């Protein structure tokens, strides 16, 4: 899987600075940055401020709020020197991303109040790409970043947005900066870092479209798996999530999660929903573990946490699961997690002949 890290931050910053350096002799203060209410000068300062803030979140391991500091430029700082500041803060974010362990999550408000190093790298890249576009538009410059960088941002921060043939145009549309044929204009937007749910000895880490693409293709999805993982069921679930993403129907909080051990950061299995809750408020779950992880209670802990999270949502009235009649281990997991057997799925329905279990609010 193509990683999202320091290299991508540096690539985005280098491209932006190279373009803007051609216009350092222009008046940035008196020119509006694209559709924003900001000047081009302020937009560039904002980029530097965000890059250093994201680096500070990771380096400081902030978990409840932003680290309370901000960047201030010396009086008389010119446009060329401002670009040097952008380069410097970009280098600091790249360094922070490279040196932060994968399992570390730091505070960011949208939408689940945390992000890992990959999320902060993606947000930093997004800030650079989008505001360079704004500044370039204001100054009359032509700017189009690499499609790969744009796709990296979309598959990590915009899992709810149907991808298009042109990742850059799709990213501009998704952030209210452009139009796409057949799609309504965007007037409000937020990016979406992946959801992580604590589960005792585990964390349930939401699978992004980038990770789902890799898992479905036989990769590790960016996770460090124990021997024998991931199990085929996890790959199949990732393929379902990827299909929903490509169709523009993916709701990431109702997608796939990887079960990761807290003690060593190793992935042991997959768990997740078959889709969003239906009209009756019922949502279906499925799960599997790598064989080497079985018999340790991981599936029970994960299922309890995921079910509790779901039942805490207003649109959910029950969590539903099916299992084969001869799968005693799966039935034991469901029972220990509080589910009760409710029926045998009719022979003419999907999952015919399976046992059905349910946990109600």
């Amino acid at each position: 899987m193509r990683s999202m890290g320091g290299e991508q931050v540096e690539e985005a910053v280098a491209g932006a600075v190279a373009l803007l350096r051609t216009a350092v002799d222009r008046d940035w203060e008196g020119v509006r940055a694209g559709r924003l209410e900001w000047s081009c000068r302020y937009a560039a300062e904002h980029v530097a401020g965000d890059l250093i803030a994201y680096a500070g979140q990771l380096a400081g391991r902030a978990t409840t709020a932003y680290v309370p500091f901000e960047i201030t430029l010396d009086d008389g700082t010119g446009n060329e020197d401002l670009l040097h500041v952008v380069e410097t803060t970009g280098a600091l974010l790249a360094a922070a991303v490279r040196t932060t362990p994968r399992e570390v999550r730091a505070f960011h408000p949208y939408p689940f109040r945390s992000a890992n190093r990959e999320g902060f790298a993606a947000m930093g890249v997004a800030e650079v790409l989008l505001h360079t576009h704004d500044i370039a538009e204001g100054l009359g410059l032509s700017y189009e970043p690499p499609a790969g960088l744009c796709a990296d941002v979309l598959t990590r921060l915009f899992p709810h947005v149907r991808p298009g043939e042109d990742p850059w145009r799709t990213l501009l549309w998704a952030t209210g900066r452009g139009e796409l044929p057949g799609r309504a204009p965007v007037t409000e937007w937020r990016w979406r870092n992946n959801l992580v749910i604590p589960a005792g000895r585990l964390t349930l880490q939401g699978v992004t479209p980038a990770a789902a693409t890799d898992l479905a293709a036989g990769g590790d999805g960016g996770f460090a798996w124990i021997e024998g993982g991931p199990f085929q069921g996890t790959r199949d679930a990732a393929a379902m999530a990827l299909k929903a993403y490509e169709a523009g129907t993916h709701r990431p909080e109702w997608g796939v999660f990887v079960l990761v051990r807290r003690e060593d950061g190793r992935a042991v299995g997959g768990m997740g929903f078959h889709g969003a809750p239906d009209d009756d408020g019922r949502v279906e779950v499925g799960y599997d573990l790598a064989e080497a992880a079985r018999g340790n209670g991981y599936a029970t802990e994960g299922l309890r946490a995921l079910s509790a999270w779901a039942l805490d949502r207003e649109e959910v009235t029950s969590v539903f699961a099916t299992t084969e009649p001869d799968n005693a281990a799966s039935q034991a997991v469901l029972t220990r997690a509080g589910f009760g057997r409710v029926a045998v799925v009719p022979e003419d329905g999907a999952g015919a002949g399976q046992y059905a279990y349910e946990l109600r609010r």
Side-chain angles (χ1 to χ4, degrees):
M1 184 179 81
R2 175 182 161 104
S3 63
M4 188 70 180
E7 181 180 344
Q8 284 69 38
V9 174
E10 291 167 342
E11 181 183 3
V13 170
V17 169
L19 174 70
L20 298 180
R21 194 159 270 149
T22 66
V24 292
D25 58 343
R26 303 270 296 278
D27 175 19
W28 291 12
E29 187 66 56
V31 177
R32 180 173 168 177
R35 304 183 185 188
L36 302 180
E37 297 297 328
W38 302 345
S39 70
C40 291
R41 169 77 179 201
Y42 183 84
E45 293 177 359
H46 174 83
V47 169
D50 275 347
L51 293 174
I52 192 63
Y54 294 162
Q57 293 302 96
L58 288 175
R61 305 293 195 264
T63 58
T64 59
Y66 279 114
V67 179
F69 76 100
E70 61 183 25
I71 191 169
T72 302
L73 303 183
D74 292 342
D75 291 341
T77 298
N79 292 338
E80 175 63 40
D81 288 335
L82 173 54
L83 291 181
H84 189 199
V85 174
V86 172
E87 289 177 313
T88 301
T89 54
L92 290 172
L93 176 57
V97 169
R98 288 191 174 105
T99 56
T100 299
R102 188 194 180 284
E103 294 307 303
V104 169
R105 296 188 72 85
F107 173 82
H108 188 277
Y110 306 119
F112 302 118
R113 303 188 69 77
S114 73
N116 61 10
R117 66 188 186 189
E118 188 174 82
F120 278 105
M123 290 187 289
V125 170
E127 293 286 352
V128 173
L129 301 187
L130 294 170
H131 291 314
T132 299
H133 162 79
D134 299 331
I135 298 169
E137 192 171 61
L139 296 175
L141 304 175
S142 177
Y143 175 65
E144 182 160 348
L149 273 181
C150 303
D152 286 339
V153 170
L154 287 167
T155 56
R156 288 166 174 86
L157 298 181
F158 295 87
H160 53 295
V161 170
R162 176 167 56 89
E165 294 182 0
D166 186 328
W168 178 227
R169 305 299 165 215
T170 303
L171 181 58
L172 290 176
W173 170 82
T175 56
R177 290 172 166 83
E179 298 179 354
L180 282 180
R183 303 200 199 187
V186 172
T187 57
E188 294 184 6
W189 61 274
R190 296 286 189 193
W191 46 48
R192 301 176 68 85
N193 283 289
N194 65 323
L195 172 64
V196 172
I197 301 172
R201 295 171 294 166
L202 309 169
T203 57
L204 276 65
Q205 301 189 12
V207 172
T208 65
T213 300
D214 190 58
L215 284 168
D220 58 18
F223 295 90
W225 290 87
I226 65 169
E227 183 181 356
F231 203 67
Q232 186 58 42
T234 299
R235 298 195 187 281
D236 293 343
M240 291 173 56
L242 178 59
K243 184 177 180 180
Y245 169 66
E246 291 173 342
T249 60
H250 183 46
R251 292 180 60 185
E253 65 271 33
W254 301 110
V256 186
F257 297 80
V258 166
L259 280 63
V260 179
R261 287 194 305 221
R262 292 179 184 269
E263 65 180 31
D264 59 4
R266 292 282 179 174
V268 299
M271 182 172 290
F273 303 103
H274 290 198
D278 64 19
D279 293 340
D280 295 323
R282 188 174 72 169
V283 62
E284 185 172 359
V285 295
Y287 50 87
D288 64 29
L289 292 178
E291 291 187 7
R294 296 173 185 175
N296 295 292
Y298 293 143
T300 301
E301 286 186 35
L303 185 56
R304 284 173 178 162
L306 188 63
S307 299
W309 181 88
L311 290 170
D312 197 40
R313 314 272 83 76
E314 289 187 2
E315 68 260 50
V316 176
T317 58
S318 68
V319 183
F320 177 79
T322 60
T323 182
E324 297 289 344
D326 59 354
N327 192 341
S330 180
Q331 293 165 33
V333 167
L334 288 163
T335 300
R336 288 194 297 267
F339 285 68
R341 183 173 157 188
V342 292
V344 175
V345 179
E347 291 296 335
D348 59 349
Q354 294 186 332
Y355 290 167
Y357 285 77
E358 188 176 49
L359 178 64
R360 300 192 66 80
R361 182 180 296 171

